[in-house]
Each structure stands twice: as structure tokens, then as C-alpha cells.
Amino acid sequence: MKPLAIQALYFALVALWFAQSASIAQEGDSSSTTNPKSQYGGFSSNADSLQVFYDYIHGQEMMKVEVGDELRRAIESIPVDLGAAIDLKQEAGLRDWLYDFLVAFSISGSDSLAVAFYMREGVNNSELIEQVSKEAKSQGILKGDTDTPAAFFNNFHKVMLNMAERDYFFQNVSFFDSVFRVFEMQEEYDSYESYLDTHGMLPKGSVLFEQIKLREEVEKHLQGGTALVFADIMFIVEEPEEFTTFEIPGRTPTFFRLLWDPEKAIWRHVEVYFSLGVPHDFLLFNFM
């Protein structure tokens, strides 16, 4: 791989992605009426207050992310804050999603598990995939078969690992203060961004990815009078010690918002945020 070419392609991809998202209206200061049980939050964006955030993040007891019963049990123990009713199958789906995500990008993961996670909802934006694939091939970064979404994601997953100079992304995780916050939304979409900003959850700055076409679909349903069920979750991940560029491995709180799709019977990604410090850029491909 050519590092500069990879980086250039990545920024070109981000530009394409943001160009498609530019037409989506962003809400200002509204937030969900459900108060989460989690104590996480209240961090100031003031640079002088960052030490409080660092002390909190690096004071957590972490557990290794690898396939097995220990991780399963830890995820099973995360409480659910029910601001809206869901059944046992939906709750199990939330826990399965978190387990699959962490394992796919850990030392227990593989190219096939990563591709399965990228494609768990099917193909959301085939036009964007085609544009990126064409550009990547023209620069010689993606070679061979990229004509199918699975082949594209398999190749690009390797590109992102190469760009981050690591073999996998997550070594450890903490679920301290983690809560599956389930709630219903009606009429108007309250962005996760406004909720996190209101509650002081991202003092280091953040990166946002949102599923553009799904976000548009969500807003149309809400404006049409349909009530939708969402789930928010925060957890802290730590990068592999063997690949870190810091004195100690970087840690990052990661925030996902999921939507329950009754037709597909699956939780779908709407938004994901994370503080800076640990590579998460590969998540962009899950929002295509």
C-alpha cells in the first residue's frame, strides 16, 4: 500500500460522504426526555478541565476483548433503561450487536467478521460504494475483485488497518457507566449530537458518522406521525498496546445510536460519535 495515496483516498471518501450528508438538517439544542441511569457525562470542554476527563477514562478497569463467555457475561450485565417497551428478542439483539462489533475488530476478529459487521444491514448506499471503489481502483489502492459490496468492504478493511498501522483495533473495553438507553421519538428527530453536547460527554472533541439515507428515512417517518424506537449506548475502548504511539494505550468513549427496524427485525446504526485518541475511522464504512 502507498500511505499517502491511502490517506488521500480516505479524505476524498470523507468529502464524498459529507457532501451527501450536507442536505440533512441538524437540530440545535433539544434532547431526549429520558434521563439515563449512567453517571457518565458532565465533562467540560474547557482545556483546563481535560485532566478530569483523562483521570476518569484511564481510571476504569478494563477487560480484554476476545471471543468467549467472559465478554458475553459482561455485556449481559449492562443494564437497560427502558424509556420505551422492547421485547426480549429486541434486547438480545442489542447485546448481540455489541458483542459482534467488539469481537469483529479485536484480536479475535477476522476479515470475514469485519465484512459481516459492515454488511449486517445490507447495502445502504450502493452509489457511494461504487464511487469510492472506482476512485480507489484508479489510484491502484484497491486491486482485484471489488465489484461486489463484500469484496469492496474486505479490501477496504485491509486498507484501514494498513493506514492505522495495526492488525486490529480494540484490545480492551470498559462497560462501567454503560447503559442501553431505550426510548421512543415522535414528530421530530432529536440528534444524538445535541444530547451529548447538552450532557457534556465529549470534552476532547469528537468525530461523527451518521447513516445518511437512514437519517432521511427516519425524519420522514417521524414527520409522518410514526413513532420510532431508538437505543443509545456508551462504552470505553482501548487500543492494542503493541500498536500505540502513546506512552500508554489510548482510550476513547464511543457512542452509538441504533434504530429498531421492525420490517428487517434488526437494530440499525443511525449515528456514532467518539472522542479523539483511538482510531475509529474504519466505522465510516459501516455507514455506507
Side-chain angles (χ1 to χ4, degrees), residues 213-259:
K213 290 191 174 182
L214 179 57
R215 172 71 180 271
E216 293 174 337
E217 180 182 324
V218 163
E219 292 185 348
K220 287 180 181 179
H221 281 302
L222 292 175
Q223 292 169 6
T226 302
L228 301 175
V229 175
F230 298 84
D232 291 347
I233 179 69
M234 181 282 297
F235 47 93
I236 297 168
V237 294
E238 182 177 74
E239 66 178 345
E241 184 176 5
E242 61 189 299
F243 301 119
T244 187
T245 57
F246 305 107
E247 291 185 8
I248 58 176
R251 293 184 182 181
T252 297
T254 304
F255 305 83
F256 272 90
R257 169 166 288 177
L258 309 176
L259 163 73

Side-chain angles (χ1 to χ4, degrees), residues 64-72 99 103 106-108 171:
K64 188 173 183 179
V65 179
E66 59 183 347
V67 65
D69 293 340
E70 184 178 3
L71 181 61
R72 281 279 188 190
Y99 179 86
V103 168
S106 73
I107 196 169
S108 297
Q171 180 171 345

Side-chain angles (χ1 to χ4, degrees), residues 6 24 30 50 57 111 121 170-171 201 216-217 250 257:
I6 293 171
I24 300 177
S30 58
L50 287 180
I57 294 298
D111 292 343
E121 300 179 19
F170 303 141
Q171 180 171 345
M201 289 183 164
E216 293 174 337
E217 180 182 324
R257 169 166 288 177

Side-chain angles (χ1 to χ4, degrees), residues 159-215:
V159 168
M160 299 309 292
L161 286 170
N162 185 289
M163 189 171 74
E165 298 183 333
R166 56 195 59 209
D167 297 332
Y168 59 99
F169 290 101
F170 303 141
Q171 180 171 345
N172 296 312
V173 66
S174 169
F175 301 124
F176 183 77
D177 274 345
S178 295
V179 175
F180 287 107
R181 188 175 70 98
V182 180
F183 59 98
E184 189 176 83
M185 208 179 290
Q186 293 179 302
E187 297 182 0
E188 186 177 16
Y189 185 76
D190 290 342
S191 73
Y192 203 10
E193 179 181 19
S194 65
Y195 179 85
L196 297 176
D197 181 63
T198 300
H199 290 70
M201 289 183 164
L202 289 171
K204 289 183 62 183
S206 63
V207 177
L208 153 71
F209 299 137
E210 60 182 350
Q211 217 284 63
I212 301 163
K213 290 191 174 182
L214 179 57
R215 172 71 180 271

Side-chain angles (χ1 to χ4, degrees), residues 65-68 71-72 96-97 99-121 150 153-154 157-158 161 168-169 269 282 286:
V65 179
E66 59 183 347
V67 65
L71 181 61
R72 281 279 188 190
D96 287 344
W97 161 80
Y99 179 86
D100 292 344
F101 167 65
L102 291 171
V103 168
F105 302 106
S106 73
I107 196 169
S108 297
S110 64
D111 292 343
S112 60
L113 288 177
V115 171
F117 188 81
Y118 289 137
M119 295 191 63
R120 62 186 295 277
E121 300 179 19
F153 285 125
N154 182 69
H157 177 64
K158 295 175 182 177
L161 286 170
Y168 59 99
F169 290 101
H269 303 117
F282 65 94
N286 200 55

